[in-house]
Amino acid sequence: MIDPMANLDAGPSAGGTGETTGGEGKDVFDLAADNHNAKKVDKIRSFLGIASGCVAGVLGLTGLSGLVCFLVLHLIVNLSILAKMKFNLRAYSRQSLLAFLAADLQKCAMSFMLFWTLFYGLVYLF
């Protein structure tokens, strides 16, 4: 089974039946499609960190309200990615749901903090 989010064409399967198992009852896992999906999700989450930092800075959020803004927007974006996957995470990744939701949280938080302070300073201090 080729991942539809990876935009890779499905070639003929080994048995020609189009099944997702190789005959031994094991799932077929396409590493190229998984890597492609991981890169796409990483780009979306990186953009999330930048955009949510800009939103929090322009709105003048400080302290815990800015952190809550980031966490809420991070959750919304991850749920929208899951909705695009039709909430079938196992078809696209081998991560658990909690690992998927918490992935890249620290990296996105650093981008968020950078743009949050930048836009807060640009709008309210200068």
Side-chain angles (χ1 to χ4, degrees), residues 15-115:
T17 60
E19 294 180 14
T20 60
T21 61
E24 295 90 29
K26 298 179 183 177
D27 288 336
V28 174
F29 187 71
D30 190 358
L31 189 59
D34 184 54
N35 288 338
H36 183 79
N37 288 341
K39 287 178 186 177
K40 290 286 187 178
V41 170
D42 183 53
K43 287 180 185 180
I44 292 169
R45 288 179 176 154
S46 296
F47 182 73
L48 153 80
I50 294 169
S52 61
C54 295
V55 167
V58 169
L59 292 177
L61 302 176
T62 58
L64 290 178
S65 61
L67 179 65
V68 169
C69 173
F70 169 71
L71 292 175
V72 167
L73 290 174
H74 187 77
L75 184 63
I76 289 171
V77 167
N78 282 326
L79 289 176
S80 65
I81 292 170
L82 281 172
K84 177 79 173 170
M85 294 180 191
K86 297 183 176 104
F87 296 97
N88 188 7
L89 184 60
R90 285 288 175 198
Y92 299 95
S93 175
R94 294 295 181 225
Q95 292 178 327
S96 68
L97 181 61
L98 185 60
F100 178 78
L101 293 176
D104 294 333
L105 191 63
Q106 183 178 6
K107 185 176 82 170
C108 290
M110 293 299 128
S111 297
F112 170 79
M113 295 272 290
L114 175 70
F115 282 90

